Amino acid sequence: FTLEYRPNDALFMRLNYDKTDDKSNAKGGYRLLPSLLTDAPVPDSVFDSYTSLPTWNKVETEGIGLTINWDINDNWTLKSITSQRESYSPTNIDFDNTSIRIFDVPAIYDDEQFTQEFQLNYQTDGFKMVSGAYYYTSDSCGVFDAILEELGKSLGASGLTREVGGCSNGDSTAVYTQGTYDIDDKWSVTAGLRYTKDDKDAVVRNGLIFATVYPESGWVPGYVRPDGLTTPVVLDDSESWSKVTPKLGVEYQHSNDLMLFASYSQGFKSGTFNPRATVAEPAADPETVDSFEVGMKSDWNDRVRVNATLFRLEHKDRQYIAVIPDENDASALNQRLGNVGRSEATGLELEVTWKASRELEIYGNLGLIDAKFEEALTFDPNLGAVDISDRFSITNTPETTANVGFSYNLLTDFGDVIFNGNYNYRSSYSLVELDNLLTQDSYGLLNLGVTWFSNDGHWSIALHGKNLTDEEYLVGNYAFIAPDPANPGQYIPGLGGDNTLIGYYGAPRTVSLSVGYRF
């Protein structure tokens, strides 16, 4: 729901409200290795899945936002942006994807955020400025039960569950300003600063329960959660961080059709506590990234547009958290969080648009990137700090991405008909950060569509086809195994004692028909 109000030319208000109640079934994963504990084979289809959990899932979100824009005069503008959002999601994740409770994770996530931003903007001939203050506060709570029932039975218990829960609350305040000054009709410079202060506190409960438990009564038919059941508090701490991040840039307007630019900026990801800590551990400090860009934006004969950017990213103090399988203690989650990484990436982005005719537009994008870890530290009891960056991969980052497409607008007596299509290509990429076990080979997706608009502007009908060649491609995974150094090609079972290597695949060939009416 959106309501807009403009009492006069200088004042504008927009109120937005949205609510989503999604009860789509939980998405199942595909077993990439046969189970060691069941006789279930690897499914025939990547969209087939086994499970011992309920298949229901729920996502509830609700948000409200208010934007007020006041043009004080010809030069100054004051803007206020207020928003609040809540979300609640009980969900079922069957990590092992078998019909028995080897590694099941029912979970509840409950979050709430509020933000307030004030902007004071100034613009005149030769100079423009954006400045403001920003406030953010959030409460994020949750609980999950890692049900390892088969492992518990092997230990002589009726079951085994590691229950992890708690809350992470944060407040962030920032002030910023950025201005662009035209030195002359060719050259301009941009400079900006942002000061951010973050305060966070976290409580984490983590412990073993020698039974099969779920977050709430009724999670499965007939289940009643025992009263007073809880796990011990292993972390209760608070921390604060502050950071000043700059931006510098220069632009050269060679002509009306060609502009060259270069920039440097720094960003950071806030420090945080390990939400799955097994012991009291300090928070990870913020990680930072330095970004360098040079490029051009150009138009040629009002028919061809070419934009190109060379960039370099330098990540420092990267936060890393993972589950490391332990062959000596399969019930240990072995979570760790710290500033253990440093990575670099260099790349190119190229965009070309060709207005071939009044009706036909053709476009293409090309992305090249070389990204790798330069340092990833771990601790060895005998050797101390050890760099294992050769075992790390930058995940979901293909070296080459490309997209070629077209749009053709056909004018007819019964309305406009727009044909569009594109082919999106991605080269191979890793899916597991540590000791990568899954690599998605290169693939391309072909999409085509046609949309009709009535002459009176009221009706529209659209037919779209996505992934028309029905490509199979991985978009996510769960890997809770480790390569067996003594037996190449074999694996050491992880949590639950099974070969848990699960893949999640993108949507298959999909055809959709939509009909719209505008009053």
Side-chain angles (χ1 to χ4, degrees):
F1 172 80
T2 300
L3 176 66
E4 296 182 353
Y5 177 56
R6 188 185 293 274
N8 54 58
D9 291 340
L11 188 61
F12 173 75
M13 304 177 189
R14 178 187 290 119
L15 178 69
N16 296 301
Y17 172 79
D18 68 271
K19 183 174 182 178
T20 299
D21 187 2
D22 185 347
K23 293 184 174 65
S24 304
N25 283 355
K27 184 174 182 176
Y30 173 72
R31 280 201 69 92
L32 293 159
L33 293 173
S35 170
L36 299 176
L37 303 182
T38 75
D39 58 0
V42 173
D44 293 332
S45 167
V46 298
F47 301 108
D48 286 345
S49 183
Y50 309 106
T51 186
S52 53
L53 276 173
T55 57
W56 57 260
N57 190 57
K58 186 193 300 185
V59 178
E60 296 177 351
T61 63
E62 186 174 15
I64 188 169
L66 175 65
T67 300
I68 302 174
N69 194 89
W70 177 33
D71 294 328
I72 302 173
N73 53 41
D74 292 339
N75 304 117
W76 291 94
T77 300
L78 180 64
K79 180 184 287 188
S80 170
I81 306 170
T82 309
S83 64
Q84 181 172 348
R85 179 161 294 278
E86 299 177 357
S87 64
Y88 172 73
S89 178
T91 188
N92 291 282
I93 308 173
D94 193 330
F95 279 70
D96 60 277
N97 279 225
T98 69
S99 57
I100 61 176
R101 289 185 282 264
I102 297 173
F103 188 5
D104 292 1
V105 182
I108 299 175
Y109 303 104
D110 194 358
D111 306 280
E112 182 176 354
Q113 304 93 32
F114 171 83
T115 64
Q116 174 63 56
E117 182 174 5
F118 294 105
Q119 289 184 5
L120 182 62
N121 303 326
Y122 176 79
Q123 183 169 344
T124 187
D125 291 340
F127 181 72
K128 57 184 177 181
M129 178 192 70
V130 177
S131 62
Y134 177 81
Y135 173 72
Y136 167 88
T137 184
S138 68
D139 297 317
S140 179
C141 298
V143 60
F144 72 84
D145 289 315
I147 300 172
L148 313 169
E149 185 175 282
E150 296 303 308
L151 177 61
K153 290 178 179 178
S154 70
L155 299 175
S158 62
L160 178 64
T161 303
R162 180 176 285 276
E163 185 168 272
V164 182
C167 293
S168 177
N169 307 313
D171 294 302
S172 180
T173 55
V175 291
Y176 61 88
T177 184
Q178 179 174 306
T180 298
Y181 174 68
D182 296 334
I183 300 173
D184 54 31
D185 60 350
K186 299 286 188 181
W187 291 92
S188 62
V189 294
T190 298
L193 279 178
R194 179 186 179 100
Y195 169 80
T196 305
K197 186 177 185 299
D198 291 338
D199 301 292
K200 290 188 177 182
D201 63 78
V203 175
V204 179
R205 302 187 310 276
N206 194 328
L208 291 175
I209 302 170
F210 287 91
T212 296
V213 301
Y214 295 87
E216 293 179 337
S217 295
W219 198 278
V220 295
Y223 173 73
V224 178
R225 183 177 171 92
D227 292 335
L229 183 63
T230 187
T231 52
V233 173
V234 296
L235 188 151
D236 186 353
D237 202 355
S238 60
E239 186 62 88
S240 298
W241 303 272
S242 61
K243 185 76 173 178
V244 176
T245 50
K247 177 181 175 64
L248 295 171
V250 60
E251 296 180 356
Y252 176 65
Q253 192 72 45
H254 177 270
S255 64
N256 289 334
D257 298 327
L258 176 62
M259 186 268 283
L260 306 174
F261 65 91
S263 69
Y264 161 77
S265 61
Q266 185 180 76
F268 82 103
K269 178 181 177 181
S270 178
T272 188
F273 291 94
N274 184 355
R276 302 174 183 176
T278 55
V279 296
E281 59 179 85
D285 289 328
E287 68 176 56
T288 60
V289 58
D290 293 310
S291 174
F292 306 86
E293 290 186 347
V294 294
M296 74 168 189
K297 296 183 178 181
S298 63
D299 289 321
W300 303 86
N301 300 322
D302 295 327
R303 298 178 69 87
V304 178
R305 172 167 294 173
V306 180
N307 298 333
T309 303
L310 288 169
F311 65 88
R312 178 174 174 81
L313 303 173
E314 297 179 354
H315 275 87
K316 302 174 183 176
D317 297 323
R318 290 197 65 161
Q319 303 163 2
Y320 177 69
I321 184 170
V323 175
I324 311 298
D326 188 338
E327 58 183 303
N328 299 315
D329 184 3
S331 66
L333 284 176
N334 288 317
Q335 300 281 353
R336 69 181 185 188
L337 174 66
N339 302 98
V340 299
R342 179 169 57 87
S343 66
E344 296 178 353
T346 303
L348 164 70
E349 293 178 348
L350 177 65
E351 302 175 357
V352 179
T353 303
W354 176 34
K355 190 73 174 177
S357 66
R358 182 172 177 267
E359 298 82 14
L360 177 62
E361 182 175 284
I362 299 173
Y363 61 88
N365 304 323
L366 174 66
L368 304 174
I369 188 169
D370 178 20
K372 60 182 178 180
F373 275 93
E374 297 292 332
E375 183 180 70
L377 299 178
T378 189
F379 181 79
D380 185 286
N382 300 317
L383 302 176
V386 178
D387 183 6
I388 57 171
S389 55
D390 59 332
R391 296 172 55 191
F392 273 68
S393 302
I394 305 292
T395 58
N396 298 297
T397 307
E399 292 185 355
T400 303
T401 57
N403 185 32
V404 178
F406 74 94
S407 177
Y408 185 82
N409 189 358
L410 178 64
L411 304 180
T412 71
D413 293 338
F414 55 86
D416 290 357
V417 181
I418 300 177
F419 301 89
N420 56 64
N422 73 296
Y423 181 78
N424 194 333
Y425 170 81
R426 304 187 81 191
S427 63
S428 61
Y429 52 88
S430 301
L431 283 107
V432 182
E433 196 162 43
L434 177 63
D435 294 328
N436 180 51
L437 299 173
L438 287 176
T439 298
Q440 171 60 53
D441 294 333
S442 60
Y443 67 92
L445 301 180
L446 176 64
N447 310 304
L448 294 172
V450 57
T451 305
W452 168 76
F453 295 95
S454 63
N455 284 323
D456 59 15
H458 291 312
W459 287 97
S460 65
I461 301 175
L463 178 66
H464 289 283
K466 297 182 179 180
N467 189 11
L468 291 177
T469 57
D470 207 20
E471 296 289 326
E472 293 181 354
Y473 57 99
L474 285 160
V475 295
N477 74 98
Y478 289 118
F480 290 94
I481 57 176
D484 187 349
N487 299 287
Q490 302 298 313
Y491 302 99
I492 299 171
L495 283 169
D498 202 6
N499 276 344
T500 301
L501 183 62
I502 308 300
Y504 288 81
Y505 285 77
R509 181 188 298 115
T510 305
V511 178
S512 62
L513 176 68
S514 61
V515 178
Y517 182 79
R518 182 184 295 272
F519 293 94

